[in-house]
Amino acid sequence: MLQWLPENVSTFGQGVDNLFYAIYYITLITLILVMATLITFLIKYRYQEGKKATYIEGSTTLEIVWTAATTVIVFVLAMFSYPQWNKIKSPTSFPENPDVVVQVSGKQFNWDMTYPGPDNEFGTDDDLTLENELHVPVNAVVHIQLTAVDVIHSFFVPQLRLKQDALPSRFIDMWFEATKAGRYEIPCAELCGFGHSGMLGYLNVHAQTDYDAWLQERWPQ
Amino acid sequence: MHDNEHTSHHHEESFIRKYLFSLDHKMIGKQFLIYGLLMFFLGGGLALLFRWQLAYPDQPLPIIGASQQYMDEGEVVTGADRMWERIYESEKEEWLEINMPNGVVDPAFYNMLFTMHATVMVFFVVVPILVGAFGNFLIPLMIGTRDMAFPILNMLSFWFAVLAAVIMTIGFFVPGGHAAAGWTGYAPLSSDAQWTGVEWGQILWGLSLFVQGLSSLVGSINYITTIINMRAPGMTFFRLPLVIWSLFIVAILLLLAFPVLSSAIVLLVFDRLAGTTFFTTTAEGGGDPLLWQHLFWFFGHPEVYILILPGMGIASELVAVFSRKPIFGYRSMVYAMIAIAFLGWIVWGHHMFQSGMRPGLGSVFMTTTMLIAVPSAIKTFNWLGTMFKGSIRFTTPMLHAIAFVSMFVIGGLSGIYMANTPVDIFIHDTYYIVAHIHYVVFGGSLFAVFGGIIFWFPKMYGRYMNDTLSKIHFWLTFVAFNCTFFPMHILGVGGHMRRISNPMQYEFLQGFEGMNIFITMSAFTLGFAQLILVFNFFWSIFRGKVAEQNPWHVNTLEWEAPTPVPHGNFGQIPTVYRGPYEYSVPDEEDDWIPQTRPEHAPATGGD
Ligand code: HEM
Ligand SMILES: [Cu+2]
Ligand SMILES: [Cu+2]
């Protein structure tokens, strides 16, 4: 089933996929065991002439065993997930000194990408806002300040394994580092009105030289 | 003394007293059942409309859609074309013209369709049937009493629900259309008409849920009081059948959870009508969109357990009866439900991992959510344990119970993926969630409902449902259900978002067209299979084979009452001497012992 996952192109994506795979195998094995047991019981203990069911009220040992076993499994899973989650979502553990900082703002039904320009400050004259096109260099740390102007939207790049809701009047920090050049879709993943379907931006990940050329073109010096 | 007087006082009741404004818990239960089945058709029909759009985006619907020639050249070829011609020529803006011009589902209409599908299914189908119908019918009968503690409140509870359904239905026809902000009604989309163009629809949506909340409130007080105070002599808490335990816990959850939604709705309506901005921020300040989400899910997560617990209860009855064995670990089943009822209050944040809630909280909610998977697992293992060394009868209700157990396992396991915060980053708001919901609520609750209807039908109507039709319905439903919802896991893994009306707008979803078509065809099969159930249900009320008093040889008290159950239920209030699951007791001739048989009494056969 997991071969349907889109290709991963972010540095933290592999960690997400590993957890995905781990849970997949754990749940698959559980499912197979439970179903096999169920089917065996259904066949073996089906009604047969002259055979009576055995009166069993339960087993405290078994109850303790399966309670403990499931608790341990889910907690081990949780232990592996905390660091991964913090790495992706917790601003205090983001890589410092980003190569690029962009403000992304969702509005019915487009993404506005605002670059601070050469002075690296938002709100100045050299800011540049592009509709639906985000340009970043490959293998570089990108910080995004995510917001929205009207309703809630959600910034989703399947290949980055990144999704974050955008809230009106609030800036939420996120980061990523793309490992492969290409053009990726940025669908909106949170219902935002009649144009929600088709609200779509693009993430253009450029090789460093191409990115420099793009910068040069935008802010000629 | 008082008891006998009650039953001998037999008088003819008027039609209105008996069938409409009935105070009898059994009639109210049946009213809720028919109400739920009717709303099931509304909810299902809405789903088929938007499933068509997903498979064949922007193509006209079959039968009512205009022909290609008509759309291209205005040439009238089919009957449907004639209808559209009439609609376009008429002066006023017709409903069809606004919502599906030429029979093509408009994107705004699409949003309304899935919003109302979920709203109807959750609030007007599953809860009314599980809690309203089974709760009312079963509680007094299974605890051994004559009626609910407050019969008038009980009647009110049903008529509030009818009022809510009427308000909800009106919403479809108001200008601006019905609510279209999802069943979760996230603000600010829901709190300001300018974002959707929906005017009264959203307010009626809120009002209707508010009234439905009153119905639940009144009902739950009644259930709790009845179960605590009116159990038959000897019916201790630990002799209660598990389905009664589940309904008892659900009543407590409803009592505490629904008012939270009602309060949130009041704030939402203020935002809409008075511009109070509880859920939006303005330049001068204001509220916060996340406040709505916290309130909604603080209600919402207990609500999803309200949707499943009675299903678990029904499945427990069916598995024990048809395995002819005591429930494995009766007490741990009860404790697991109590644990779910407590933990259910501290997991709501798992719906908000990607919402902008502080990331540290995500880790906390992941932990509690993982914890709640444990009692769910315990219940599953106990159902398996109940079948172990049983003598399993594959009756149609039992087939449904087995389907319940296996589908619930899949739904519970998919929950683990989403509970895992990093994995949820990817699958949140995708079809993975849709698959999960349907495995637990359709695969879980609805299979239990179907099984329960067939199982208790002989007690409700004194007749059997037609078994051949029931079996056909079961297998069609089981296969079509899995064909419809299993592939949605794969869509989710592919990143396919939920709530989009046209997946073909996205490059990365191009490969899923075939799967979407397959899902839609399965969904239509699933929908039409339900017609068999409903036909069978109504046909059997009048024409079914007449049933004996206790056809399945069940221990619990409802089967001690005569069939059809008279007003007041029991001639003499029964006395309870044992637990509900004394099946296949060693050294007994029969493989069942009714709860009313005294300890050490000589064995008497059957009824
Ligand atoms: C093993 C137990 C379960 C776990 C761990 C679990 C976990 C979750 C999580 C984490 C979500 C949120 C996913 C997201 O939006 O990203 C979710 C959604 C949902 N769950 Fe469960 N769940 C479990 C059982 C159930 C049961 C028993 C039901 C109902 C009968 C249920 C009904 C739902 C529904 C309706 C939603 C989606 C709500 C929406 O966004 O529209 N779940 N579940
Ligand atoms: Cu959107
Ligand atoms: Cu939940």
Side-chain angles (χ1 to χ4, degrees):
Chain A
M1 186 158 87
L2 294 187
Q3 72 271 21
W4 292 91
L5 269 174
E7 180 190 17
N8 162 48
V9 301
S10 75
T11 47
F12 51 61
Q14 195 56 47
V16 173
D17 287 3
N18 290 345
L19 278 169
F20 214 143
Y21 274 93
I23 300 174
Y24 177 64
Y25 287 114
I26 294 173
T27 51
L28 185 68
I29 292 169
T30 315
L31 181 65
I32 291 174
L33 287 179
V34 171
M35 290 301 170
T37 316
L38 178 66
I39 292 168
T40 314
F41 285 2
L42 292 181
I43 295 171
K44 204 161 160 207
Y45 304 120
R46 69 187 185 279
Y47 165 73
Q48 281 158 316
E49 198 59 52
K51 238 174 107 179
K52 214 172 154 180
T54 313
Y55 185 86
I56 308 170
E57 283 186 293
S59 150
T60 314
T61 327
L62 271 178
E63 301 288 346
I64 294 171
V65 168
W66 57 50
T67 308
T70 27
T71 313
V72 168
I73 293 176
V74 293
F75 270 96
V76 169
L77 262 177
M79 294 313 283
F80 280 103
S81 313
Y82 299 130
Q84 194 59 39
W85 168 251
N86 286 335
K87 188 170 156 188
I88 302 173
K89 290 273 176 156
S90 191
T92 48
S93 51
F94 289 179
E96 283 165 28
N97 305 321
D99 302 289
V100 181
V101 180
V102 194
Q103 277 183 358
V104 174
S105 173
K107 61 166 195 236
Q108 286 184 333
F109 298 97
N110 289 295
W111 295 109
D112 276 344
M113 324 285 189
T114 304
Y115 286 81
D119 66 354
N120 267 327
E121 273 188 47
F122 289 105
T124 51
D125 284 345
D126 62 350
D127 286 8
L128 172 71
T129 300
L130 300 174
E131 201 160 76
N132 291 329
E133 297 288 337
L134 182 59
H135 297 268
V136 301
V138 72
N139 297 325
V141 173
V142 179
H143 275 203
I144 288 181
Q145 302 170 357
L146 185 65
T147 188
V149 295
D150 36 35
V151 298
I152 301 176
H153 302 268
S154 189
F155 181 94
F156 180 31
V157 185
Q159 290 85 349
L160 293 179
R161 308 291 187 262
L162 183 59
K163 181 182 289 128
Q164 175 61 55
D165 287 3
L167 294 172
S169 333
R170 237 175 85 186
F171 284 92
I172 296 171
D173 291 322
M174 10 175 234
W175 80 282
F176 65 85
E177 180 179 338
T179 56
K180 191 175 160 192
R183 187 169 156 87
Y184 308 101
E185 285 167 304
I186 314 175
C188 171
E190 181 67 62
L191 178 65
C192 56
F194 58 85
H196 168 58
S197 188
M199 173 168 169
L200 187 58
Y202 293 91
L203 167 68
N204 302 279
V205 180
H206 302 284
Q208 189 65 47
T209 47
D210 295 345
Y211 183 71
D212 292 339
W214 178 77
L215 283 181
Q216 189 58 37
E217 188 190 316
R218 288 294 168 174
W219 289 276
Q221 275 151 16
Chain B
M1 4 136 244
H2 175 82
D3 297 351
N4 287 336
E5 178 196 27
H6 206 103
T7 36
S8 57
H9 205 75
H10 219 75
H11 52 93
E12 281 302 309
E13 292 165 306
S14 71
F15 180 84
I16 292 183
R17 256 258 164 270
K18 186 154 180 217
Y19 292 105
L20 279 178
F21 298 105
S22 173
L23 296 178
D24 183 49
H25 73 98
K26 299 180 290 296
M27 184 52 70
I28 297 173
K30 291 178 199 172
Q31 288 173 330
F32 266 116
L33 183 55
I34 289 170
Y35 169 102
L37 288 176
L38 291 178
M39 295 304 277
F40 186 40
F41 273 84
L42 175 61
L46 298 173
L48 295 186
L49 283 177
F50 68 70
R51 255 335 304 181
W52 174 267
Q53 160 70 17
L54 279 169
Y56 306 104
D58 300 341
Q59 291 180 33
L61 289 155
I63 303 168
I64 66 159
S67 69
Q68 201 60 47
Q69 284 101 310
Y70 182 70
M71 290 196 297
D72 295 344
E73 287 137 36
E75 183 192 339
V76 175
V77 267
T78 63
D81 294 346
R82 257 195 303 285
M83 178 186 82
W84 288 108
E85 188 82 358
R86 243 195 339 270
I87 290 176
Y88 294 132
E89 277 168 5
S90 84
E91 288 289 296
K92 63 180 191 17
E93 291 256 273
E94 304 240 2
W95 192 85
L96 279 173
E97 182 178 355
I98 299 168
N99 291 308
M100 31 181 172
N102 288 333
V104 176
V105 174
D106 180 78
F109 185 56
Y110 180 90
N111 290 351
M112 187 221 86
L113 287 174
F114 70 71
T115 299
M116 295 318 298
H117 161 70
T119 304
V120 167
M121 287 299 191
V122 169
F123 295 100
F124 294 87
V125 177
V126 179
V127 175
I129 295 185
L130 278 178
V131 184
F134 286 110
N136 264 310
F137 189 79
L138 296 179
I139 291 174
L141 279 170
M142 289 180 102
I143 66 174
T145 183
R146 301 205 182 283
D147 208 320
M148 285 287 182
F150 311 113
I152 294 183
L153 283 189
N154 208 15
M155 177 185 78
L156 259 176
S157 153
F158 177 69
W159 287 101
F160 272 137
V162 172
L163 179 62
V166 169
I167 299 173
M168 199 51 99
T169 312
I170 292 173
F172 284 100
F173 304 103
V174 294
H178 216 320
W183 82 282
T184 51
Y186 277 14
L189 192 62
S190 59
S191 67
D192 193 332
Q194 65 169 311
W195 307 129
T196 48
V198 174
E199 301 276 347
W200 277 95
Q202 192 75 45
I203 295 169
L204 290 175
W205 176 87
L207 190 63
S208 161
L209 292 186
F210 190 89
V211 175
Q212 194 71 320
L214 294 179
S215 161
S216 291
L217 190 70
V218 174
S220 54
I221 292 172
N222 211 351
Y223 290 8
I224 296 169
T225 315
T226 307
I227 294 174
I228 293 180
N229 289 330
M230 298 174 65
R231 282 164 291 124
M235 182 61 95
T236 59
F237 269 97
F238 281 113
R239 283 178 182 165
L240 283 178
L242 286 175
V243 69
I244 300 300
W245 262 109
S246 72
L247 288 162
F248 181 51
I249 290 169
V250 159
I252 297 172
L253 290 180
L254 267 176
L255 180 69
L256 300 178
F258 223 116
V260 180
L261 178 68
S262 305
S263 316
I265 284 175
V266 170
L267 299 184
L268 184 75
V269 171
F270 276 133
D271 267 12
R272 283 213 145 220
L273 293 180
T276 41
T277 65
F278 292 117
F279 301 125
T280 41
T281 329
T282 67
E284 312 101 77
D288 192 325
L290 285 191
L291 176 61
W292 168 266
Q293 295 185 27
H294 280 295
L295 291 173
F296 184 87
W297 290 116
F298 190 81
F299 148 81
H301 191 86
E303 169 73 11
V304 306
Y305 277 101
I306 291 165
L307 297 176
I308 193 77
L309 283 170
M312 292 174 158
I314 292 172
S316 302
E317 302 303 319
L318 299 180
V319 170
V321 168
F322 294 111
S323 302
R324 311 308 293 167
K325 265 194 64 196
I327 276 286
F328 194 91
Y330 171 87
R331 286 199 179 216
S332 83
M333 287 296 235
V334 173
Y335 295 141
M337 285 195 278
I338 294 175
I340 287 174
F342 275 104
L343 290 170
W345 295 102
I346 51 168
V347 300
W348 81 91
H350 64 215
H351 298 273
M352 297 172 60
F353 287 148
Q354 322 308 334
S355 67
M357 182 176 74
R358 193 172 154 184
L361 279 178
S363 297
V364 175
F365 280 116
M366 164 166 67
T367 314
T368 54
T369 304
M370 290 288 190
L371 262 183
I372 207 171
V374 175
S376 308
I378 295 175
K379 299 206 67 101
T380 306
F381 293 134
N382 280 314
W383 286 315
L384 291 180
T386 306
M387 294 180 206
F388 175 66
K389 297 205 170 175
S391 172
I392 300 171
R393 323 284 155 109
F394 293 100
T395 58
T396 321
M398 182 60 171
L399 294 180
H400 282 97
I402 295 166
F404 171 94
V405 173
S406 38
M407 299 300 98
F408 178 73
V409 170
I410 297 180
L413 289 174
S414 67
I416 309 268
Y417 292 71
M418 306 171 334
N420 194 274
T421 43
V423 175
D424 186 68
I425 297 175
F426 184 75
I427 55 181
H428 174 66
D429 267 330
T430 67
Y431 265 83
Y432 204 89
I433 314 301
V434 182
H436 167 74
I437 301 174
H438 289 89
Y439 266 87
V440 282
V441 183
F442 196 139
S445 314
L446 276 186
F447 273 112
V449 163
F450 298 152
I453 290 177
I454 300 168
F455 181 70
W456 279 294
F457 196 87
K459 196 44 79 181
M460 288 185 177
Y461 295 101
R463 291 171 189 270
Y464 293 102
M465 282 177 70
N466 180 297
D467 195 49
T468 315
L469 285 180
S470 296
K471 281 223 162 64
I472 297 174
H473 166 254
F474 170 78
W475 286 110
L476 269 178
T477 304
F478 185 75
V479 173
F481 166 80
N482 280 290
C483 290
T484 305
F485 295 108
F486 197 83
M488 290 189 186
H489 291 106
I490 299 176
L491 294 183
V493 171
H496 193 313
M497 291 81 67
R498 65 195 279 203
R499 297 175 171 175
I500 54 171
S501 61
N502 185 354
M504 291 302 111
Q505 289 165 317
Y506 304 86
E507 200 57 47
F508 77 110
L509 298 179
Q510 292 303 316
F512 289 119
E513 187 174 14
M515 202 174 283
N516 266 324
I517 293 175
F518 176 76
I519 290 175
T520 294
M521 295 199 303
S522 311
F524 273 85
T525 315
L526 184 60
F528 284 106
Q530 305 320 307
L531 293 175
I532 304 177
L533 174 88
V534 171
F535 169 78
N536 191 1
F537 182 85
F538 287 107
W539 184 83
S540 302
I541 290 180
F542 303 104
R543 292 288 166 80
K545 204 172 103 215
V546 175
E548 62 258 50
Q549 186 183 326
N550 189 354
W552 320 103
H553 296 174
V554 188
N555 295 342
T556 43
L557 296 183
E558 77 274 29
W559 303 98
E560 295 288 311
T563 300
V565 189
H567 207 72
N569 299 344
F570 302 95
Q572 184 87 44
I573 286 291
T575 304
V576 173
Y577 293 95
R578 50 184 78 234
Y581 302 114
E582 297 287 285
Y583 293 105
S584 303
V585 177
D587 306 322
E588 285 284 332
E589 193 184 328
D590 293 316
D591 64 358
W592 58 293
I593 308 178
Q595 285 190 277
T596 48
R597 175 123 71 78
E599 219 64 75
H600 311 302
T604 51
D607 34 74

